[in-house]
């Protein structure tokens, strides 16, 4: 058996246009979604239609950084606490170590956890328009070398300590931040809710509480209150060349919905959108094409293209999430539409692969 | 702007062969991995080489089922507790309701959670060779109709209650089961460890404890102790047409490693491999080709092809996980190899897309 | 320095009466609360007053059991899976092993987790009116002996495996059950809400959503949505001789509140009330006195006194929780009342210790 | 039925002496433990004996603070993000607001979480020798008033937002800190291990991994890896007048144990010991007596008495934890000793209540 070179030809469509407003961007645009779960397309499309019928999806980007944690060990807690205490006075040196590893990596801060004689350091960096996985690893490598040289009592344990944390469930990423933290909001009148979603604001709010909040708590969920953020993130990440396994932490986001008089306020909060517009995975033609169509490879300040991309993703997640929740408020609708749409889309959507 | 029909051309390679032993299969085979993170290929390849140098990866499939939870509401807890108490006497009727919705769906059991006047029912089914997302939704739809008709005091809330739970972080999936629960194990002598992994059994064990166990606990992880299960699952899921967002729960698995004299016992436990060999997403040519090459579209009893696929995936995860951990025991190795491999593989791996 | 024999004299008051309704009990009664946080008394008292002004707190006991998990190890997963598979055919023998260790212990079921070659067995038992910590440990000890004798490939690891889990945060206790699972509910009219709680049903519901649900999710909470269940449980546990460290799992319960027309539906769901009316800690005079006053040492079927006690506790938790939430809806009220009450109660409440 | 004034007479003993070393204190002292679980006394006593036979328990206090979170709401995310952005420039004003509410409260920092239009602010303060529950609530009340006056677009939701978090399971307390963060360590030679614990270093380490780490992960635990921290904390908290429901977060700590040649390195890391030596609950005679005997009411800089108390508690937790783990390494020992000790201690320990 030989090792063929081949591709997995994941069906992809541009869906929209979604109307997005806010400081980061203010325009209507199509979003590329690559997925084998083809009912996702009409689901996001319905949300996009609603975004245009309403006043657009407001998006704010709260923060952005990338992190890597390392673990070192010393003889005892006292020794490592002394190192921890001394680090602040070496902030400038540490910043230089990081800056020396890349044109774009900048050390912003670090967080410490101690467990007995083990020292966990979580470095928080800015990485320009790259998602930054490799950039922070390279910087962490240099930081370890610096630390081990300066503090001979310390010994190497691991360049990655799972306190980062990458592609794994955690609370730390939501609390301390990793990737872009983005909020998208939409106000929907009762009429538009009826017309486009075939439901009421009240029903959406109640479903969100009983499913996304209470149901998730019952499931032993962690920092998560949504129906299917992961689906939308995966499709978008694949289409734009991201490290798509980061949907694990991406899935840990929250819907917040409430009645405003008789209207619906609907929001999605995504603390961990880990994306870039340059770097690993961005060289493929379909990726470049999509990033270009999204306006994310323009000459801008470092980080601004990635920020724009993250904002668009959050708006897309809102479209897909609201649409699915609306469907689930009506008994039978999910099953009917899923079966129907899979037939239709599969017929239409046969990719060229 | 029009809506083009297109594909995301994810680079794919067959890696291996991996030597797998056990009751489910006993052979050497290549596995298809579709990923933009191309260093994953040599990483799994190194584990595969080790599997052949050693006595093969032992795999056991512990269990398999698919679940869907619904939420209904009543006037008070007393009323819903009466329904819960009565359900057992209607087991046969409920089984018939499920069997009536599909040739393959079989109701196996259900679990109940009550929150005040809210009733959460998590139905556990067998779904043949399908992953079963749609099958259990359709069955749950019919179960709701039956329940609402029989118990007029109940009202519909949602066909999916997040207590299932699909593509979201949870503890329930690991504790009660969802998808295939699989364990893969490999015994590696100290010599082979040195030769192929450039490290020692002791170093692997220590790294696993300080990174996968302690580091994850610090991160506020949940039912998870691994380095990058998600990466390997994603690549395998994409290559075989799975609903790849299920890597979210797939990522919640555990390594267990220990010294056996001077040898290394290394295992991966994956409680939630959610895969099928038929159904949604399996119709694409590259998927069919891969499933066929893996021997997973043979005429077998319902469920046996999916079981075989799950077993192969667990062995693949072991290869990739062990290889990465080994790299992280050596300072600098991860950064060096990552940078080197990305260059090499990107040069070689240009897909035809 | 000598080792004096002494007591910690925790201030204790009977608070109420609380009006409780339902199948387990239907009466008004005072509850004993031992606490150094004396504002707890008027807080529960306010809820008790409301219970009488309304139609009483409805309580249902959903289930009751006690658990102990053990961990054994084998050479590999295949071996332990065979043991797991065989256990069902030995159910009767296992039941006899358990019954042989106590007049009251009865094996009800068991749950299995495998991690590589490690076997975790969580035994679920009925323990009469005892909380059952020691009873299940003794039974588990005998079960281990039986297992090790029957399956020589297994080896002992631990009589307690943290998968029980006792006095530690977990998801398993809520999902599989441990102790009494109880729900208490109260309907409060808008008028009574205003009169006794100085707030509105709407404000309570909104606070619950934004604090107990969303706030807890943000905190990285786990199967928990309440303000201070732990306070009330601790005071009740101390007063009735319970193993009060079980408030750790007791704290993992949920409020559910909603508007019913203009009225308030308010409920507390406590899946893990771990209490007994006999056994360790129940011999002290103040404990006997309190259990007697609560009507929990009557001649009843085994388990019925403990069930009654658990029901009363849930109603008490409702009183204290609703009262605190009401206070927090009004800016400044919590601080004012806390400071005022601590002064008053400390003056009045000087214990005789 | 009247409301009697009474006490819960919890049996209390001084256990020790424990040998403690380190910068905070370096002496041998008895610790008071109030508990109905009387086998706890000999368990801690065994650890204390070991601390003296070895070189003493090394304790470091890593950090100390108290927190309160509030939740406010605005019309949309953009508005609250502007507030968040502006807060840094008002740091001095916020510090003055806090300082104006108490002689001891000092604002140290704050953390922000946004969910849609909801703003969660977690204020971190120093509170002298008080645990600080009321102090931070009062300060938060004043901060809310300041914020609402300055930013009219904001509205009050709650003085406590569960992102604090008090007496509830969370990840935030461990990650960001709440109360005293303390590490205690003990080196035990193989001989002493055999002599006093009837086990080996290797067995302790293995049990810790398979029970405290893996078992807890299986249980769906959260930031926790220990056997019974809660028991020891409860007994100590009751004896020293603490708000004992804080054992909920106190229970979320970690053991780390490893072999050092043939010796045992054993440590306990407690990130959330929430205690004070002044304030609510400290006025009772038995509390004053115990705090005095512990040397925790001496004239010292604000915070130093509380720090000393926290250090002693961590050493005590180590004693009890190590002793129980040792017992569980031997089949049958836990059951035997528990049953025997309960008989003995109950006979001896009859309190004067």
């Amino acid at each position: 058996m030989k090792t063929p070179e081949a591709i997995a030809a994941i069906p992809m469509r541009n869906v929209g246009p979604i109307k997005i407003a806010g400081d980061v961007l203010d325009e209507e645009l199509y979003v590329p979604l690559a997925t084998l779960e083809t009912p996702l397309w009409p689901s996001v499309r319905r949300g996009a239609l609603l975004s245009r019928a309403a006043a657009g999806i407001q998006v704010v980007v709260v923060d952005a950084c990338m992190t890597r944690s390392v673990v070192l060990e010393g003889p005892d807690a006292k020794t490592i606490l002394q190192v921890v205490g001394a680090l602040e006075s070496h902030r400038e040196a540490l910043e230089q170590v990081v800056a020396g590893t890349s044109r774009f990596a900048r050390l912003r801060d670090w967080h410490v956890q101690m467990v007995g004689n083990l020292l966990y350091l979580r470095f928080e960096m800015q990485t320009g328009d790259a998602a930054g996985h490799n950039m922070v690893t390279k910087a962490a490598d240099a930081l370890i070398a610096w630390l081990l040289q300066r503090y001979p009592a310390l010994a190497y344990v691991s360049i990655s300590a799972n306190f980062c944390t990458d592609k794994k469930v955690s609370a730390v990423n939501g609390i301390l931040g990793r990737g872009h933290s983005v909020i998208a909001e939409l106000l929907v009148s009762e009429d538009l809710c009826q017309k486009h979603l075939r439901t009421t604001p009240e029903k959406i709010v109640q479903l969100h509480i009983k499913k996304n909040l209470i149901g998730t708590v019952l499931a032993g969920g962690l920092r998560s209150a949504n129906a299917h953020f992961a689906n939308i993130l995966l499709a978008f990440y694949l289409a734009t060349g991201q490290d798509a396994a980061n949907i694990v932490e991406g899935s840990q986001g929250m819907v917040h919905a409430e009645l405003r008089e008789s209207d619906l306020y609907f929001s999605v909060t995504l603390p961990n959108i880990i994306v870039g517009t340059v770097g690993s995975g961005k060289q493929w033609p379909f990726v470049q094409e999509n990033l270009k169509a999204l306006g994310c490879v323009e000459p801008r300040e470092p980080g601004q293209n990635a920020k724009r991309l993250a904002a668009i993703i959050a708006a897309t997640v809102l479209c897909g999430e609201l649409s699915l929740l609306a469907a689930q408020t009506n008994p039978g609708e999910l099953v009917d539409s899923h079966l129907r749409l899979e037939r239709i889309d599969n017929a239409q959507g046969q990719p060229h692969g």
Side-chain angles (χ1 to χ4, degrees), chain A:
Chain A
M1 192 190 272
K2 66 186 181 63
T3 303
E5 286 177 6
I7 58 159
I10 311 294
M12 183 164 66
R13 289 228 183 136
N14 277 323
V15 174
I18 304 177
K19 180 172 182 174
I20 307 180
D23 295 343
V24 183
L25 77 166
D26 197 337
E27 57 197 90
E28 294 192 4
L29 77 180
Y30 284 83
V31 296
L33 298 174
T35 181
L36 295 167
E37 304 305 306
T38 49
L40 187 66
W41 294 326
S43 180
V44 172
R45 192 181 297 132
R46 181 161 76 154
L49 177 58
L50 196 62
S51 76
R52 304 193 305 274
I57 297 171
Q58 299 285 331
V59 181
V60 299
V61 176
V62 176
D63 195 22
C65 71
M66 191 56 178
T67 62
R68 177 64 67 198
S69 71
V70 305
V71 52
L72 306 173
E73 61 191 346
D76 50 38
K78 186 178 176 175
T79 305
I80 61 170
L81 184 57
Q82 286 167 343
V83 173
V84 170
L87 276 188
E88 187 53 44
S89 68
H90 298 296
R91 182 174 285 267
E92 209 174 322
L94 297 172
E95 286 171 354
Q96 283 172 5
V97 168
V98 170
T101 61
S102 154
R103 261 196 308 154
F104 295 104
R106 295 294 175 269
L107 181 63
R108 196 170 78 169
D109 209 348
W110 60 85
H111 288 86
V112 177
Q113 290 274 318
M114 293 171 56
V115 179
N117 64 317
L118 300 171
L119 172 59
Y120 294 78
L121 289 166
R122 185 181 190 269
F123 297 107
E124 201 174 293
M125 307 184 197
Q126 279 164 326
T127 57
D129 282 312
H133 299 80
N134 292 343
M135 210 185 283
V136 295
T137 306
K138 202 174 161 198
D141 214 37
L143 287 165
I144 287 176
W146 188 93
L147 288 163
L148 295 183
Q149 205 220 333
R150 175 137 210 130
Y151 303 105
L154 297 184
Y156 173 87
V157 181
S158 182
I159 175 69
S160 172
N162 278 26
F163 183 60
C164 317
T165 190
D166 194 44
K167 303 164 187 171
K168 289 170 289 281
V169 168
S170 85
V172 73
N173 283 355
I175 290 172
L176 293 183
R178 192 171 203 251
H180 286 78
S181 170
V182 189
I183 299 174
E185 303 166 294
L186 184 65
L187 275 169
V188 189
S189 72
E190 195 176 6
D191 281 356
L192 287 177
C193 218
Q194 284 289 5
K195 185 176 170 194
H196 294 295
L197 301 176
R198 292 190 298 279
T199 190
T200 65
E202 173 70 17
K203 280 188 180 174
I204 297 270
V205 169
Q206 286 301 313
L207 178 70
H208 163 62
I209 294 170
K210 292 167 188 171
K211 169 194 170 73
N212 285 351
L213 284 170
I214 302 177
T216 302
V217 171
L218 286 178
L222 186 68
R223 279 193 62 96
S224 169
N226 68 79
H228 75 140
F229 282 14
N231 278 331
I232 308 147
L233 290 173
L234 178 62
F236 210 121
Y237 284 8
L238 289 176
T240 56
Q242 310 303 326
D243 197 344
N246 282 122
I247 64 164
V248 176
E249 54 265 60
S251 77
Q252 293 184 274
M254 298 181 74
V255 169
H256 176 54
E258 59 184 27
L259 293 179
R260 299 265 174 105
E261 307 291 329
S262 63
D263 297 345
L264 173 68
Y265 166 86
F266 189 86
S267 69
V268 297
T269 300
L270 293 127
N272 303 115
I273 298 180
I274 297 177
V275 294
T277 56
V278 299
S280 172
K282 307 305 175 299
Q283 73 276 27
W284 310 104
F286 75 91
V287 171
Q288 279 301 313
E289 199 174 310
N290 285 331
L291 289 176
K292 196 175 165 198
L294 291 168
C296 290
V297 286
E298 303 294 309
R300 293 193 174 97
E301 288 295 299
Q304 293 305 306
N305 277 321
K307 186 178 184 178
R308 177 182 165 93
L309 183 61
I312 297 168
I313 290 173
T316 309
V317 168
L318 187 149
C319 291
E321 178 76 10
L322 177 54
S323 189
L324 178 64
L325 288 180
Q328 296 194 1
T329 62
N330 298 318
E333 181 174 328
L334 185 68
V335 173
D336 292 352
S337 67
H338 233 268
L339 297 179
R340 185 170 47 83
L341 290 169
E342 282 197 340
R343 275 195 302 275
I344 294 172
D345 280 303
N346 289 347
Q348 293 177 354
Q350 188 75 15
H352 313 304

